[in-house]
Structures are given as structure tokens and as C-alpha cells.
């Protein structure tokens, strides 16, 4: 059984909430903490949420190469080709106005972010628009990528926005992965899956990592430099992130850029790879989005990007530009709706395999990071945090 862990959780007394300017931690310095009571937050209820997270650890094998291989074993051509890492114990932290008000586990340990990587990838697309490499996210990608990957009557219609909202219905193969082979229907044959009718781009949400990796490839071709370098220069260095994070693709995902072999990164850990990052660096990224893309007085992200990225897409009202939304909507396509009862609908979050979350609650100036929480319990854990407010 996990030992109970807490920080700054003192006996609850009613206090007057003190309005504070958002605090931004310096790189390498001790992250400042505050007692939850300073913000009128009930520490006993907050501890209840932490205890719940510790009691509901993700149960998969700690060796993620084994876990992910089993999870996607139904998929044809699935194999782990990118780097993986054995996971650590559950961890996480909760920020209020930038201050740590609670934490558990080792938040400096570098872990696989899995599909939470996608929310970082979308930022790289926003930056490409901001500096003029892409004129508009509504542009067809074939106007920029002319190597045949976006050729044909169907694929030529795909826009950057379609890729960002996972509604492109792009058909093809990339790095050995086939679009039709990922998360196939539970019925039918391989020929049925290959030859299923294609919906018009922008009309159908289909979570598909081949297409996410295609977005990363297209952005690499546009930027003409490694995407990890773009993220470092434009975002991570500016928010004081550590030097411990890294972003990977596969041995097969090499692209010639100006005579140099560059690895095209993946948008998650479906076949390994993706972002490897600490919870503390995740929290900095969440704090950046909480503050509308500004870090202190510096506008790091394009103005209005946070608002734009977290608007419901036409194909899925619970998904924006690779950020999940907490909306009670009817047009979700998947196993079940992504809605957390008891949690504000203004909340948005990055989500990865194994309960890896970066949750942003602008209504309450909160950032919540969790690692290795049973994914079926994530909504309940976040709801318990809200009950402490």
C-alpha cells in the first residue's frame, strides 16, 4: 500500500481569499509553495484527492514496451520501434496562481508523456503560423508538402486544421504504419478495414497516430529544422524548463533536411517515442496556457492561441487543436464521451496513456499534473480537487 503523502496540508480554517498575481518559477530555483488555506482551499479535501490518486495507480506493467505492445496487440503491423522507458511511481502536483499547493511522488523524474505529446505538437504548428511559415491553418497541406503524401482527390483536401483536430481521414502509410490498421473496428476483415468509405475531411473525428505523425512530418518539412529544437528555442527555454526533457521518433523516421538526416518525431508513444518529460516541466507548460501564453511579461505563444486551440472542433465537441475539452456534448465519436461530471466545462487538458494529464482550469487559476493514474479514475480525481475549492 502506498504511504500517504502530502505537502502544505494544514488543518482547515476559514480564511479570506487573498488575490495574488500569478507566480512564475525561475529555472533551477526552488519552486515556491503556499498553503491551500491561503487561497481558501480545504486542505483535508485536497488530501482526499491525492490519496485517491495514490490508491488508484495505473495497473499496467511498469515496462511500457510490454504494456503498449499488449494494449495495441489487435493492430496489424503494430510493433514498438521507438524508445520506451520503465515508468516510476504515481506522482503529480497542483498549482494555484503558479504556487505549488500540493504534490506527491517524484515530480522531477523524467517519464514518457505518451499522447500528452500531441498538445505540444499543436503548439509547434501555432508557432509556424505566427512567424509566417504557414499562412493559415485552413490552408490545404498539399500547398506546402509536395512529395505525394497529400496528393489525390481525397488527401489533397486535408488542411492543417483537419490534422490538428484529428478529422483529416487521410489515407496512406508513414514510417511503416497504415492509417487503416490503427484502432481497427472490432468486427470485419482486414480488407473491410482497408476499403471502408472515407468521410469528407473535417467531418469525422478519428483518433489516429499515423496521421498525428504525418502532422509532425509536415511541420518538420515546413520548419526545416528538428521540432525538438523549435520547441526548446520558442517555448521551453522561455518558460525556464529543465534540460532533462527530450522528444523522439523512430529509427525509421529519418528525413533529409538540407542534406542533413533529421528524425521526424512522433506525437505519442503508440509505437514508442514521443515526449519524455518531468511533471515539473509539464506544470510549467500548463502554467503558460493558464496565463494565455504569457510567461511573466513575455508573450511566448501567439496571442489568442490558447483560446483558439481550446475551441470545440466540428467533428468532436470535446476536442480542439490536440487539447481535450470537458464539454457535455453529443457528437463525440469513440468508446464513450470524454466528460468529467462535477468538473467545470471550461477545463481543458493534455492527456496521455497511463493517466498522464496536464489539466488547466482557468476559472480557478489551477494547473493539475498527474502521472500513472488509472485512466478510468481521472475524472473522479479531478472532481475531488474541485470539491476542495
Amino acid at each position: 500500500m502506498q504511504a500517504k503523502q502530502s505537502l502544505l496540508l494544514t488543518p482547515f480554517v476559514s480564511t479570506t481569499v487573498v488575490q495574488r498575481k500569478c507566480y512564475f518559477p525561475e529555472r533551477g530555483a526552488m519552486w515556491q509553495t503556499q498553503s491551500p488555506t491561503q487561497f481558501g482551499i480545504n486542505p483535508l479535501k485536497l488530501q482526499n484527492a491525492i490519496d485517491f490518486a495514490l490508491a488508484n495507480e495505473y495497473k499496467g506493467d511498469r515496462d511500457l514496451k510490454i504494456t503498449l505492445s499488449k494494449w495495441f496487440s489487435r493492430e496489424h503491423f503494430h510493433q514498438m520501434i521507438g524508445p520506451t522507458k520503465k515508468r516510476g511511481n504515481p506522482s503529480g502536483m497542483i498549482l494555484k496562481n503558479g504556487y505549488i499547493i500540493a504534490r506527491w511522488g517524484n515530480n522531477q523524474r523524467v517519464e514518457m508523456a505518451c499522447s500528452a505529446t500531441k498538445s505540444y505538437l499543436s503548439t509547434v504548428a501555432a508557432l509556424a503560423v505566427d512567424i509566417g511559415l504557414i499562412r493559415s491553418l485552413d490552408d490545404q497541406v498539399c500547398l506546402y508538402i509536395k512529395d505525394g503524401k497529400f496528393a489525390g482527390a481525397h488527401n489533397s483536401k486535408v488542411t492543417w486544421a483537419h490534422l490538428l483536430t484529428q478529422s483529416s481521414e487521410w489515407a496512406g502509410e508513414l514510417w511503416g504504419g497504415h492509417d487503416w490498421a490503427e484502432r481497427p473496428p472490432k468486427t470485419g476483415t482486414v480488407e473491410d478495414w482497408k476499403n471502408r468509405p472515407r468521410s469528407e475531411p473535417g467531418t469525422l473525428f478519428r483518433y489516429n497516430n499515423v496521421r498525428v505523425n504525418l502532422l509532425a512530418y509536415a511541420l518538420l518539412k515546413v520548419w526545416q529544422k528538428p521540432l525538438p529544437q523549435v520547441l526548446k528555442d520558442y517555448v521551453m527555454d522561455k518558460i525556464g524548463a529543465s534540460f532533462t526533457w527530450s522528444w523522439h521518433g523512430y529509427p525509421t523516421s529519418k528525413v533529409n533536411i538540407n542534406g542533413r538526416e533529421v528524425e521526424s518525431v512522433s506525437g505519442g508513444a503508440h509505437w514508442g517515442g514521443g515526449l519524455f518529460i518531468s511533471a515539473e516541466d509539464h506544470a510549467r507548460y500548463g502554467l503558460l496556457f493558464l496565463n494565455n501564453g504569457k510567461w511573466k511579461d513575455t508573450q511566448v505563444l501567439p496571442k489568442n492561441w490558447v483560446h483558439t486551440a481550446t475551441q470545440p472542433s466540428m467533428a468532436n465537441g470535446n476536442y480542439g487543436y490536440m487539447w481535450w475539452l470537458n464539454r457535455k456534448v453529443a457528437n463525440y465519436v469513440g468508446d464513450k464521451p470524454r466528460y468529467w461530471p462535477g468538473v467545470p466545462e471550461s477545463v481543458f487538458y493534455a492527456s496521455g496513456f497511463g493517466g498522464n494529464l496536464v489539466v488547466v482550469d482557468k476559472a480557478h487559476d489551477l494547473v493539475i499534473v498527474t502521472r500513472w493514474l488509472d485512466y478510468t479514475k481521472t475524472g473522479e480525481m479531478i472532481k475531488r480537487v474541485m470539491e476542495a475549492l
Side-chain angles (χ1 to χ4, degrees):
M1 179 178 295
Q2 294 276 358
K4 182 180 289 188
Q5 302 180 48
S6 64
L7 173 72
L8 310 173
L9 302 182
T10 56
F12 178 68
V13 293
S14 179
T15 63
T16 301
V17 178
V18 178
Q19 296 295 325
R20 298 175 183 268
K21 184 179 179 180
C22 194
Y23 155 73
F24 298 92
E26 298 290 340
R27 170 180 272 161
M30 184 71 70
W31 199 315
Q32 291 186 26
T33 61
Q34 291 285 349
S35 167
T37 58
Q38 294 298 309
F39 300 100
I41 297 173
N42 188 319
L44 300 180
K45 290 184 176 181
L46 199 59
Q47 180 66 55
N48 176 267
I50 295 170
D51 291 344
F52 182 84
L54 290 168
N56 288 278
E57 178 180 353
Y58 176 70
K59 298 299 193 297
D61 195 296
R62 284 178 175 262
D63 187 335
L64 291 185
K65 184 173 184 178
I66 294 173
T67 298
L68 291 166
S69 294
K70 290 179 178 177
W71 191 267
F72 300 113
S73 60
R74 287 186 63 251
E75 298 181 6
H76 287 256
F77 304 105
H78 185 274
Q79 57 179 324
M80 301 304 294
I81 54 176
T84 59
K85 181 179 181 179
K86 291 184 179 180
R87 70 170 179 85
N89 293 323
S91 61
M93 53 197 300
I94 302 173
L95 309 183
K96 169 67 175 172
N97 289 18
Y99 296 94
I100 297 175
I101 58 169
R103 60 186 169 193
W104 60 102
N106 182 355
N107 290 302
Q108 294 182 340
R109 188 182 196 275
V110 173
E111 302 271 13
M112 295 181 71
C114 300
S115 283
T117 304
K118 294 174 175 60
S119 300
Y120 289 80
L121 180 62
S122 71
T123 292
V124 175
L127 294 167
V129 175
D130 193 48
I131 68 170
L133 296 175
I134 297 173
R135 291 181 294 273
S136 168
L137 293 178
D138 291 323
D139 279 356
Q140 294 165 303
V141 186
C142 66
L143 300 176
Y144 302 79
I145 310 301
K146 302 179 183 295
D147 58 8
K149 288 184 173 57
F150 292 90
H154 179 84
N155 286 349
S156 64
K157 297 178 184 178
V158 173
T159 68
W160 296 100
H162 294 152
L163 291 173
L164 285 163
T165 57
Q166 302 222 51
S167 62
S168 72
E169 281 287 88
W170 178 87
E173 177 270 336
L174 183 70
W175 317 136
H178 299 256
D179 74 285
W180 57 265
E182 187 184 341
R183 291 175 171 84
K186 294 181 180 178
T187 58
T189 66
V190 169
E191 289 305 311
D192 292 333
W193 302 340
K194 286 182 179 180
N195 299 315
R196 65 174 178 78
R198 299 282 171 179
S199 297
E200 192 70 10
T203 63
L204 177 68
F205 174 83
R206 197 183 296 275
Y207 199 85
N208 188 289
N209 283 282
V210 173
R211 295 168 186 157
V212 172
N213 287 347
L214 180 71
L215 171 62
Y217 165 80
L219 288 171
L220 171 60
K221 296 282 281 187
V222 165
W223 276 99
Q224 291 285 289
K225 64 174 69 171
L227 298 193
Q229 188 66 48
V230 174
L231 185 67
K232 180 180 187 297
D233 292 345
Y234 284 81
V235 180
M236 303 303 274
D237 282 352
K238 292 182 179 180
I239 65 175
S242 74
F243 300 110
T244 62
W245 67 273
S246 58
W247 194 358
H248 304 276
Y250 320 115
T252 57
S253 63
K254 298 296 193 299
V255 179
N256 186 299
I257 301 294
N258 299 321
R260 184 164 65 104
E261 192 175 71
V262 176
E263 185 177 79
S264 184
V265 293
S266 68
H270 196 88
W271 299 280
L275 196 63
F276 289 56
I277 192 168
S278 70
E280 286 194 359
D281 283 344
H282 260 335
R284 287 175 181 268
Y285 190 67
L287 184 56
L288 177 67
F289 273 75
L290 180 68
N291 202 45
N292 294 314
K294 290 185 70 174
W295 191 265
K296 299 181 181 177
D297 297 322
T298 301
Q299 188 70 45
V300 176
L301 303 182
K303 288 184 177 180
N304 300 320
W305 172 248
V306 174
H307 173 77
T308 300
T310 56
Q311 294 306 296
S313 56
M314 183 175 72
N316 183 352
N318 256 341
Y319 200 71
Y321 285 156
M322 294 190 165
W323 284 89
W324 288 98
L325 315 178
N326 190 52
R327 308 257 178 147
K328 203 170 186 179
V329 294
N331 67 330
Y332 176 76
V333 179
D335 294 333
K336 57 185 177 180
R338 286 251 189 166
Y339 175 67
W340 293 333
V343 176
E345 292 196 27
S346 58
V347 161
F348 58 92
Y349 59 101
S351 176
F353 184 90
N356 283 279
L357 300 177
V358 181
V359 181
V360 179
D361 176 14
K362 296 183 75 172
H364 299 103
D365 296 313
L366 290 178
V367 174
I368 306 166
V369 176
T370 68
R371 315 298 294 260
W372 313 122
L373 171 63
D374 182 340
Y375 72 97
T376 66
K377 307 293 185 182
T378 53
E380 176 63 23
M381 190 273 173
I382 303 302
K383 181 170 78 73
R384 293 186 182 214
V385 173
M386 299 300 161
E387 290 172 348
L389 304 181

